[in-house]
Amino acid sequence: MEFMQQQFEQLFGVEWGAMLFTLATNMTFIFTIIVPLLLGVAYLTFAERKIIAYMQIRVGPNRVTFFGIPWLRGWGQPIADAVKALMKEIVIPTGANKFLFILAPILTIMPALAAWAVVPFSAEMVLADINAGLLYILAMTSMGIYGVIIAGWASNSKYAFLGAMRSAAQVVSYELAMGFALVCVLMMSQSLNLGDIVNGQQGGSMLHWYLIPLFPMFLVYFISGVAETNRAPFDVAEGESEIVAGFHVDYSGMAFTVFFLAEYANMILVATLTALMFLGGWLPPLDIAPLNMIPGFIWLLLKIAFLLFFFLWFRATFPRYRYDQIMRLGWKVFIPITLVWIVVLGLVMQLPQTVREGFPLNLWF
C-alpha cells in the first residue's frame, strides 16, 4: 500500500497524490463490498426457494444451469431473473407522481447499501472505522422507510397507501424495541464502535459473547429485525390476500426489482449486525487450533448464513400475523422487556467487584 501511495504522489504530486490514492482505495473497498453483497442478495433468493421447497417436499428451481453442468442445475436462476427484470418495461400509472414514483425505490436501497460502510468484516477489514458506528447504523436503517411511504403515496392507489401506512407504523413500533436492545449492547461494551463491541466479546470461548447475558435482547433484536424488513410473518405491508402486494402493487420491471434487492440486502444487514453484537462477530466459538486458524471473516459469514436460515424458516413455518397482533407484540411485549432489561443490566453493573467474582458475572462485566 505504501508503494502504491508513493507512485500516486510521484505522478500527481504529494497533495493530489495522497487525495487520489485515498479516493482510489476507498472506491476499491466499496466495490469489493457492493459486488459480493449484490451476489449474496441474488443467491439468497435462490437459497430461499430451494430451502422452502425442501421444507414443502418440492424440487424448487432446477432448470437454468451454467454450461449444462448437472450439479449446477438451478444455479443460473437468479441471473435469468435479473436479465428478465432488466428487459421488462417500467409502467407508471397515469395518476402517479412520476418523479417520486421513480425516486422511492432508490431511497429504499440507498440506506441498505450505505449502512455497510461501518460494518467490520474482521479486525482489520472495515471501510470507515468511526466511533459512532452504531449511531450511524441506526440512522441509515431508519431512512429506508421513507422510500416505502413515498412509494405508497406516489402510486395514487388506495391499496399502496394502506400498505405504506401499515409499514410506517410497524417500523416505528419495532424501531424502538431495536434501539432499546442496542442500548443494552452499548452498556455492555461501553462503546458505539462496532469493532470495539466485537473486541469486548473476546475471552477464548463463546461464553464471553453477549448472547448469554443479553439473550432476551438477542431475541427482541432479531425478531424486530424480521419485522423491520417486512418479512413473513410480519409482511402485512405486502399482504397479498388483502391489499394485493401493498406499497409496490403498481411497480414493475427494474423498479420493483430494486425494492426486492433492498429487502434482501436489509435481511443480510440485520443478520450481520446480530452476529457482530451478540454472536462475537468474527471470533471463533473456541480459541483453539484449528478453529482459530480459520480467517475471521469466514466465521462471520457462517454466523450470517446461520441467522439468514431463520428468516427463511420463519416464512415457511408461520402464517401472517394480524395487524393488531403485530402492534401488540411490539408495544406491549418487546418494549417493556427491553426497558426492564436495561434497568436490570444497570443494577448488575453497579454491583461490587467481590459480588461479581462470586458469580460468573465477571465473564462479561
Side-chain angles (χ1 to χ4, degrees):
M1 295 292 288
E2 293 181 2
F3 174 75
M4 292 291 293
Q5 185 172 357
Q6 291 173 1
Q7 295 298 314
F8 270 81
E9 290 177 356
Q10 288 178 5
L11 288 172
F12 304 104
V14 176
E15 185 176 347
W16 280 96
M19 186 174 64
L20 290 174
F21 173 76
T22 303
L23 179 63
T25 304
N26 288 340
M27 291 302 295
T28 303
F29 207 162
I30 291 170
F31 185 78
T32 55
I33 292 173
I34 296 298
V35 172
L37 176 62
L38 294 179
L39 285 174
V41 166
Y43 278 92
L44 180 57
T45 63
F46 176 69
E48 178 176 32
R49 295 165 75 176
K50 293 296 282 188
I51 289 171
I52 293 179
Y54 178 79
M55 291 179 176
Q56 297 173 347
I57 319 178
R58 297 185 288 108
V59 177
N62 68 334
R63 288 290 182 270
V64 187
T65 183
F66 290 114
F67 311 109
I69 302 174
W71 54 273
L72 288 179
R73 289 178 65 88
W75 283 78
Q77 191 66 50
I79 310 300
D81 292 340
V83 172
K84 181 182 178 182
L86 286 169
M87 295 173 64
K88 280 194 170 184
E89 180 185 2
I90 299 177
V91 179
I92 301 177
T94 304
N97 185 311
K98 295 183 180 179
F99 174 73
L100 294 179
F101 189 84
I102 298 298
L103 181 66
I106 299 172
L107 289 178
T108 304
I109 197 169
M110 282 178 61
L113 299 180
W116 288 88
V118 298
V119 173
F121 300 95
S122 69
E124 299 84 16
M125 294 173 59
V126 57
L127 177 60
D129 190 18
I130 61 176
N131 290 329
L134 201 57
L135 193 61
Y136 173 83
I137 289 285
L138 285 173
M140 285 294 105
T141 52
S142 300
M143 287 180 62
I145 187 59
Y146 289 108
V148 173
I149 295 173
I150 290 172
W153 183 84
S155 298
N156 195 28
S157 165
K158 291 183 176 61
Y159 292 121
F161 190 68
L162 278 172
M165 291 301 98
R166 283 185 179 187
S167 185
Q170 180 174 317
V171 168
V172 168
S173 302
Y174 285 90
E175 194 81 39
L176 291 172
M178 291 180 77
F180 286 140
L182 295 185
V183 168
C184 293
V185 175
L186 172 61
M187 292 170 68
M188 291 283 294
S189 63
Q190 302 290 309
S191 175
L192 284 167
N193 185 286
L194 291 173
D196 291 344
I197 291 173
V198 175
N199 291 330
Q201 301 175 66
Q202 288 180 337
S205 74
M206 61 187 296
L207 294 176
H208 293 80
W209 295 354
Y210 294 155
L211 173 70
I212 298 173
L214 300 180
F215 185 72
M217 298 300 97
F218 165 75
L219 293 179
V220 167
Y221 183 81
F222 187 64
I223 296 172
S224 298
V226 177
E228 282 273 301
T229 53
N230 288 323
R231 289 285 301 180
F234 300 96
D235 56 340
V236 291
E238 303 173 11
E240 295 89 353
S241 57
E242 319 155 51
I243 50 177
V244 292
F247 64 91
H248 51 55
V249 61
D250 290 316
Y251 281 86
S252 61
M254 202 59 201
F256 171 77
T257 306
V258 171
F259 277 119
F260 200 67
L261 291 174
E263 178 181 318
Y264 281 81
N266 280 320
M267 287 169 56
I268 298 175
L269 179 64
V270 168
T272 303
L273 294 175
T274 306
L276 289 171
M277 291 184 288
F278 296 99
L279 301 180
W282 57 81
L283 302 175
L286 287 173
D287 192 13
I288 57 172
L291 298 182
N292 55 12
M293 299 172 64
I294 300 173
F297 73 92
I298 298 295
W299 283 115
L300 181 60
L301 290 177
L302 289 174
K303 294 170 185 176
I304 293 169
F306 174 74
L307 292 168
L308 285 173
F309 174 76
F310 285 92
F311 276 89
L312 312 183
W313 195 3
F314 293 160
R315 180 175 178 181
T317 305
F318 296 105
R320 181 180 296 130
Y321 289 153
R322 291 199 318 265
Y323 188 67
D324 63 301
Q325 292 174 324
I326 291 177
M327 291 296 105
R328 188 185 304 118
L329 179 66
W331 288 101
K332 293 187 176 181
V333 178
F334 282 179
I335 292 177
I337 287 175
T338 54
L339 291 175
V340 169
W341 211 256
I342 288 174
V343 174
V344 170
L345 190 61
L347 293 174
V348 170
M349 293 178 71
Q350 297 303 315
L351 291 175
Q353 184 66 29
T354 54
V355 177
R356 294 185 198 171
E357 291 175 354
F359 296 92
L361 298 175
N362 57 342
L363 288 174
W364 311 288
F365 300 99

